[in-house]
Amino acid sequence: MYTSILELALLSLAGLAAASPLQPRSSVNVTNPAYNQTLTNSLELAPTVADRFTILKNQGSSDAYFKYNFNLAVNPSPGGGTGKGGSGVLANRKNFPALIGLGVAASVGFLNPCGMNTPHTHPRATEFLTIATGGNVKTGFIQEEGENTELTTILDQYEGAIFPMGSIHYEFNDSCEPAVFIAAFSSDDPGLSRVAQNFFGLNPDVVNADLGYPSFLDHTNIAQFATTIPPAFALGTKECMDRCGIAY
């Protein structure tokens, strides 16, 4: 009888566990280490990877130097940018010194409904992006002269896409629900250049000439026009915003 009761209890617990997957431990209060130039210099001068890891290990808890927290609550100034369309948090060799010399970096992007990670490039890395939550995330990239047609994808949860090094690319959450993506980079210092923001930061006369002297942009107002370009993560198409009831 007792065996039957024990077996019944174990079966009940197993069923409960199956119905209620484990919840992750909250990481809101787990902070990242502050940038330390002295530590970075020591890691740069270390002769081997093993020596670098020994230096990091001697700094203290492995939580502090071998784990990175992408939670927005502990990244008030995210390296990937922020705007009305969402935010991105980047871990690279500067803010996560364990990456120095390993040739990888990563970011997490939080896309609001109709949010867009505006067109940009990574001059030193190829990117492999995967959707963690959400869906109907549209991406596109243009590579270079000779293959300068836009290559696009529509990504749902757990689907991914690549963006070759130096390509102009974007991610647009064409949905009324938030989406989260995780991106891996083939460099510990991938770099990021926003296309529109940086282009209109050039000499206004050069910008005007490159655009063919459009009537709505003369050389006296290009600098003013540049101030209207939204930073980093922006709201996407008006069709999406109308569908989701979002005011522009």
PDB file of all heavy atoms in Angstrom, residues 3-4 21-22 24 37 41-42 72 76 83 93 96 144 170 174 190 192 195 215 221 228 232 236 238:
ATOM      1  N   THR A   3       3.911   1.529  -0.971  1.00  0.00           N
ATOM      2  CA  THR A   3       4.604   1.671  -2.249  1.00  0.00           C
ATOM      3  C   THR A   3       3.704   2.312  -3.275  1.00  0.00           C
ATOM      4  O   THR A   3       4.111   3.186  -4.046  1.00  0.00           O
ATOM      5  CB  THR A   3       5.080   0.290  -2.748  1.00  0.00           C
ATOM      6  OG1 THR A   3       5.930  -0.281  -1.772  1.00  0.00           O
ATOM      7  CG2 THR A   3       5.815   0.445  -4.064  1.00  0.00           C
ATOM      8  N   SER A   4       2.439   1.914  -3.275  1.00  0.00           N
ATOM      9  CA  SER A   4       1.491   2.473  -4.233  1.00  0.00           C
ATOM     10  C   SER A   4       1.280   3.957  -3.984  1.00  0.00           C
ATOM     11  O   SER A   4       1.218   4.756  -4.913  1.00  0.00           O
ATOM     12  CB  SER A   4       0.150   1.731  -4.129  1.00  0.00           C
ATOM     13  OG  SER A   4       0.324   0.375  -4.444  1.00  0.00           O
ATOM     14  N   PRO A  21       6.967  24.217 -16.225  1.00  0.00           N
ATOM     15  CA  PRO A  21       8.407  24.235 -16.466  1.00  0.00           C
ATOM     16  C   PRO A  21       9.118  25.158 -15.489  1.00  0.00           C
ATOM     17  O   PRO A  21       8.543  26.120 -14.986  1.00  0.00           O
ATOM     18  CB  PRO A  21       8.514  24.757 -17.911  1.00  0.00           C
ATOM     19  CG  PRO A  21       7.220  25.442 -18.168  1.00  0.00           C
ATOM     20  CD  PRO A  21       6.190  24.725 -17.361  1.00  0.00           C
ATOM     21  N   LEU A  22      10.380  24.851 -15.216  1.00  0.00           N
ATOM     22  CA  LEU A  22      11.162  25.638 -14.279  1.00  0.00           C
ATOM     23  C   LEU A  22      11.256  27.083 -14.736  1.00  0.00           C
ATOM     24  O   LEU A  22      11.481  27.367 -15.912  1.00  0.00           O
ATOM     25  CB  LEU A  22      12.566  25.048 -14.140  1.00  0.00           C
ATOM     26  CG  LEU A  22      12.655  23.669 -13.476  1.00  0.00           C
ATOM     27  CD1 LEU A  22      14.091  23.177 -13.548  1.00  0.00           C
ATOM     28  CD2 LEU A  22      12.188  23.741 -12.026  1.00  0.00           C
ATOM     29  N   PRO A  24      13.189  30.709 -14.717  1.00  0.00           N
ATOM     30  CA  PRO A  24      14.569  31.152 -14.514  1.00  0.00           C
ATOM     31  C   PRO A  24      14.697  32.027 -13.277  1.00  0.00           C
ATOM     32  O   PRO A  24      13.776  32.754 -12.916  1.00  0.00           O
ATOM     33  CB  PRO A  24      14.870  31.952 -15.786  1.00  0.00           C
ATOM     34  CG  PRO A  24      13.527  32.385 -16.275  1.00  0.00           C
ATOM     35  CD  PRO A  24      12.576  31.279 -15.909  1.00  0.00           C
ATOM     36  N   GLN A  37      40.071  49.937 -17.087  1.00  0.00           N
ATOM     37  CA  GLN A  37      41.153  50.019 -18.065  1.00  0.00           C
ATOM     38  C   GLN A  37      42.392  49.262 -17.613  1.00  0.00           C
ATOM     39  O   GLN A  37      43.084  48.630 -18.424  1.00  0.00           O
ATOM     40  CB  GLN A  37      41.510  51.482 -18.322  1.00  0.00           C
ATOM     41  CG  GLN A  37      42.557  51.666 -19.418  1.00  0.00           C
ATOM     42  CD  GLN A  37      42.060  51.249 -20.790  1.00  0.00           C
ATOM     43  OE1 GLN A  37      41.060  51.776 -21.262  1.00  0.00           O
ATOM     44  NE2 GLN A  37      42.745  50.306 -21.419  1.00  0.00           N
ATOM     45  N   ASN A  41      44.095  46.287 -19.753  1.00  0.00           N
ATOM     46  CA  ASN A  41      45.497  46.323 -20.156  1.00  0.00           C
ATOM     47  C   ASN A  41      46.220  45.038 -19.753  1.00  0.00           C
ATOM     48  O   ASN A  41      47.032  44.492 -20.515  1.00  0.00           O
ATOM     49  CB  ASN A  41      46.198  47.530 -19.532  1.00  0.00           C
ATOM     50  CG  ASN A  41      45.723  48.843 -20.124  1.00  0.00           C
ATOM     51  OD1 ASN A  41      45.108  48.862 -21.194  1.00  0.00           O
ATOM     52  ND2 ASN A  41      45.985  49.935 -19.437  1.00  0.00           N
ATOM     53  N   SER A  42      45.931  44.536 -18.558  1.00  0.00           N
ATOM     54  CA  SER A  42      46.551  43.292 -18.095  1.00  0.00           C
ATOM     55  C   SER A  42      46.146  42.117 -18.978  1.00  0.00           C
ATOM     56  O   SER A  42      46.977  41.270 -19.334  1.00  0.00           O
ATOM     57  CB  SER A  42      46.158  43.015 -16.643  1.00  0.00           C
ATOM     58  OG  SER A  42      46.623  44.029 -15.784  1.00  0.00           O
ATOM     59  N   LEU A  72      17.748  44.632 -19.199  1.00  0.00           N
ATOM     60  CA  LEU A  72      17.748  46.082 -19.372  1.00  0.00           C
ATOM     61  C   LEU A  72      17.828  46.820 -18.043  1.00  0.00           C
ATOM     62  O   LEU A  72      18.349  47.931 -17.968  1.00  0.00           O
ATOM     63  CB  LEU A  72      16.485  46.514 -20.119  1.00  0.00           C
ATOM     64  CG  LEU A  72      16.497  46.347 -21.642  1.00  0.00           C
ATOM     65  CD1 LEU A  72      15.125  46.646 -22.215  1.00  0.00           C
ATOM     66  CD2 LEU A  72      17.543  47.241 -22.278  1.00  0.00           C
ATOM     67  N   PRO A  76      21.491  50.574 -17.889  1.00  0.00           N
ATOM     68  CA  PRO A  76      20.765  51.828 -18.130  1.00  0.00           C
ATOM     69  C   PRO A  76      21.203  52.551 -19.393  1.00  0.00           C
ATOM     70  O   PRO A  76      20.443  53.340 -19.946  1.00  0.00           O
ATOM     71  CB  PRO A  76      21.095  52.656 -16.872  1.00  0.00           C
ATOM     72  CG  PRO A  76      22.366  52.079 -16.351  1.00  0.00           C
ATOM     73  CD  PRO A  76      22.306  50.613 -16.671  1.00  0.00           C
ATOM     74  N   GLY A  83      15.499  53.536 -28.242  1.00  0.00           N
ATOM     75  CA  GLY A  83      14.610  54.491 -28.875  1.00  0.00           C
ATOM     76  C   GLY A  83      13.173  54.046 -28.693  1.00  0.00           C
ATOM     77  O   GLY A  83      12.883  53.114 -27.930  1.00  0.00           O
ATOM     78  N   ARG A  93      34.239  43.292 -26.003  1.00  0.00           N
ATOM     79  CA  ARG A  93      35.489  43.211 -25.254  1.00  0.00           C
ATOM     80  C   ARG A  93      35.640  44.332 -24.232  1.00  0.00           C
ATOM     81  O   ARG A  93      36.365  44.187 -23.242  1.00  0.00           O
ATOM     82  CB  ARG A  93      36.683  43.205 -26.205  1.00  0.00           C
ATOM     83  CG  ARG A  93      36.786  44.456 -27.055  1.00  0.00           C
ATOM     84  CD  ARG A  93      37.937  44.407 -28.042  1.00  0.00           C
ATOM     85  NE  ARG A  93      39.215  44.546 -27.353  1.00  0.00           N
ATOM     86  CZ  ARG A  93      40.228  43.715 -27.507  1.00  0.00           C
ATOM     87  NH1 ARG A  93      40.106  42.665 -28.303  1.00  0.00           N
ATOM     88  NH2 ARG A  93      41.356  43.919 -26.870  1.00  0.00           N
ATOM     89  N   PHE A  96      32.732  43.439 -21.314  1.00  0.00           N
ATOM     90  CA  PHE A  96      32.786  42.051 -20.843  1.00  0.00           C
ATOM     91  C   PHE A  96      34.177  41.514 -21.157  1.00  0.00           C
ATOM     92  O   PHE A  96      34.395  40.838 -22.162  1.00  0.00           O
ATOM     93  CB  PHE A  96      31.700  41.226 -21.537  1.00  0.00           C
ATOM     94  CG  PHE A  96      31.506  39.848 -20.964  1.00  0.00           C
ATOM     95  CD1 PHE A  96      31.845  39.538 -19.661  1.00  0.00           C
ATOM     96  CD2 PHE A  96      30.966  38.842 -21.756  1.00  0.00           C
ATOM     97  CE1 PHE A  96      31.657  38.268 -19.140  1.00  0.00           C
ATOM     98  CE2 PHE A  96      30.770  37.565 -21.249  1.00  0.00           C
ATOM     99  CZ  PHE A  96      31.115  37.277 -19.945  1.00  0.00           C
ATOM    100  N   GLU A 144      26.991  44.379 -51.166  1.00  0.00           N
ATOM    101  CA  GLU A 144      28.044  45.186 -51.776  1.00  0.00           C
ATOM    102  C   GLU A 144      27.767  45.330 -53.264  1.00  0.00           C
ATOM    103  O   GLU A 144      26.825  44.745 -53.806  1.00  0.00           O
ATOM    104  CB  GLU A 144      29.406  44.501 -51.577  1.00  0.00           C
ATOM    105  CG  GLU A 144      29.457  43.103 -52.171  1.00  0.00           C
ATOM    106  CD  GLU A 144      30.746  42.377 -51.832  1.00  0.00           C
ATOM    107  OE1 GLU A 144      31.810  42.907 -52.183  1.00  0.00           O
ATOM    108  OE2 GLU A 144      30.684  41.298 -51.239  1.00  0.00           O
ATOM    109  N   TYR A 170      18.818  45.359 -41.161  1.00  0.00           N
ATOM    110  CA  TYR A 170      17.851  45.855 -40.176  1.00  0.00           C
ATOM    111  C   TYR A 170      17.007  44.689 -39.691  1.00  0.00           C
ATOM    112  O   TYR A 170      16.984  43.601 -40.294  1.00  0.00           O
ATOM    113  CB  TYR A 170      16.944  46.933 -40.803  1.00  0.00           C
ATOM    114  CG  TYR A 170      16.085  46.385 -41.925  1.00  0.00           C
ATOM    115  CD1 TYR A 170      14.840  45.813 -41.673  1.00  0.00           C
ATOM    116  CD2 TYR A 170      16.529  46.412 -43.242  1.00  0.00           C
ATOM    117  CE1 TYR A 170      14.062  45.291 -42.703  1.00  0.00           C
ATOM    118  CE2 TYR A 170      15.774  45.896 -44.276  1.00  0.00           C
ATOM    119  CZ  TYR A 170      14.537  45.336 -44.003  1.00  0.00           C
ATOM    120  OH  TYR A 170      13.785  44.798 -45.024  1.00  0.00           O
ATOM    121  N   ASP A 174       7.204  43.377 -37.268  1.00  0.00           N
ATOM    122  CA  ASP A 174       5.932  43.714 -37.917  1.00  0.00           C
ATOM    123  C   ASP A 174       4.789  42.996 -37.193  1.00  0.00           C
ATOM    124  O   ASP A 174       4.031  42.223 -37.785  1.00  0.00           O
ATOM    125  CB  ASP A 174       5.985  43.308 -39.395  1.00  0.00           C
ATOM    126  CG  ASP A 174       4.849  43.929 -40.201  1.00  0.00           C
ATOM    127  OD1 ASP A 174       4.126  44.785 -39.654  1.00  0.00           O
ATOM    128  OD2 ASP A 174       4.694  43.555 -41.377  1.00  0.00           O
ATOM    129  N   PRO A 190      32.754  44.032 -32.715  1.00  0.00           N
ATOM    130  CA  PRO A 190      32.089  44.068 -34.029  1.00  0.00           C
ATOM    131  C   PRO A 190      31.909  45.462 -34.589  1.00  0.00           C
ATOM    132  O   PRO A 190      31.899  45.651 -35.799  1.00  0.00           O
ATOM    133  CB  PRO A 190      30.741  43.403 -33.766  1.00  0.00           C
ATOM    134  CG  PRO A 190      30.511  43.557 -32.300  1.00  0.00           C
ATOM    135  CD  PRO A 190      31.857  43.509 -31.669  1.00  0.00           C
ATOM    136  N   LEU A 192      29.591  49.191 -34.728  1.00  0.00           N
ATOM    137  CA  LEU A 192      28.229  49.457 -35.194  1.00  0.00           C
ATOM    138  C   LEU A 192      28.188  50.845 -35.806  1.00  0.00           C
ATOM    139  O   LEU A 192      28.662  51.813 -35.195  1.00  0.00           O
ATOM    140  CB  LEU A 192      27.233  49.333 -34.036  1.00  0.00           C
ATOM    141  CG  LEU A 192      25.749  49.437 -34.384  1.00  0.00           C
ATOM    142  CD1 LEU A 192      24.909  48.619 -33.415  1.00  0.00           C
ATOM    143  CD2 LEU A 192      25.275  50.901 -34.355  1.00  0.00           C
ATOM    144  N   VAL A 195      23.342  53.792 -40.485  1.00  0.00           N
ATOM    145  CA  VAL A 195      23.484  54.294 -41.853  1.00  0.00           C
ATOM    146  C   VAL A 195      22.967  55.722 -41.996  1.00  0.00           C
ATOM    147  O   VAL A 195      23.700  56.630 -42.405  1.00  0.00           O
ATOM    148  CB  VAL A 195      22.775  53.352 -42.838  1.00  0.00           C
ATOM    149  CG1 VAL A 195      22.818  53.931 -44.244  1.00  0.00           C
ATOM    150  CG2 VAL A 195      23.424  51.981 -42.817  1.00  0.00           C
ATOM    151  N   SER A 215      15.064  68.924 -54.036  1.00  0.00           N
ATOM    152  CA  SER A 215      14.485  70.238 -53.747  1.00  0.00           C
ATOM    153  C   SER A 215      14.127  70.404 -52.275  1.00  0.00           C
ATOM    154  O   SER A 215      14.133  71.525 -51.765  1.00  0.00           O
ATOM    155  CB  SER A 215      13.228  70.441 -54.606  1.00  0.00           C
ATOM    156  OG  SER A 215      12.268  69.417 -54.352  1.00  0.00           O
ATOM    157  N   ASN A 221      19.609  73.369 -44.889  1.00  0.00           N
ATOM    158  CA  ASN A 221      18.737  72.703 -43.910  1.00  0.00           C
ATOM    159  C   ASN A 221      19.071  71.235 -43.684  1.00  0.00           C
ATOM    160  O   ASN A 221      18.347  70.546 -42.967  1.00  0.00           O
ATOM    161  CB  ASN A 221      17.266  72.840 -44.302  1.00  0.00           C
ATOM    162  CG  ASN A 221      16.923  72.091 -45.585  1.00  0.00           C
ATOM    163  OD1 ASN A 221      17.734  71.322 -46.101  1.00  0.00           O
ATOM    164  ND2 ASN A 221      15.732  72.312 -46.101  1.00  0.00           N
ATOM    165  N   THR A 228      16.064  65.233 -37.137  1.00  0.00           N
ATOM    166  CA  THR A 228      14.753  64.569 -37.094  1.00  0.00           C
ATOM    167  C   THR A 228      14.866  63.055 -37.251  1.00  0.00           C
ATOM    168  O   THR A 228      13.871  62.346 -37.090  1.00  0.00           O
ATOM    169  CB  THR A 228      13.838  65.114 -38.211  1.00  0.00           C
ATOM    170  OG1 THR A 228      14.346  64.711 -39.500  1.00  0.00           O
ATOM    171  CG2 THR A 228      13.764  66.631 -38.157  1.00  0.00           C
ATOM    172  N   ALA A 232      18.853  55.041 -33.276  1.00  0.00           N
ATOM    173  CA  ALA A 232      18.909  53.582 -33.063  1.00  0.00           C
ATOM    174  C   ALA A 232      17.571  52.904 -33.314  1.00  0.00           C
ATOM    175  O   ALA A 232      17.075  52.905 -34.424  1.00  0.00           O
ATOM    176  CB  ALA A 232      19.432  53.296 -31.660  1.00  0.00           C
ATOM    177  N   GLY A 236       8.570  51.445 -36.739  1.00  0.00           N
ATOM    178  CA  GLY A 236       8.650  50.991 -38.116  1.00  0.00           C
ATOM    179  C   GLY A 236       7.581  51.584 -39.011  1.00  0.00           C
ATOM    180  O   GLY A 236       7.247  52.767 -38.913  1.00  0.00           O
ATOM    181  N   LYS A 238       4.249  52.779 -40.983  1.00  0.00           N
ATOM    182  CA  LYS A 238       2.977  53.350 -40.535  1.00  0.00           C
ATOM    183  C   LYS A 238       1.859  52.326 -40.649  1.00  0.00           C
ATOM    184  O   LYS A 238       0.901  52.357 -39.866  1.00  0.00           O
ATOM    185  CB  LYS A 238       2.662  54.612 -41.336  1.00  0.00           C
ATOM    186  CG  LYS A 238       3.565  55.787 -40.980  1.00  0.00           C
ATOM    187  CD  LYS A 238       3.105  57.073 -41.641  1.00  0.00           C
ATOM    188  CE  LYS A 238       3.956  58.247 -41.180  1.00  0.00           C
ATOM    189  NZ  LYS A 238       3.518  59.523 -41.782  1.00  0.00           N
TER     190      LYS A 238
END
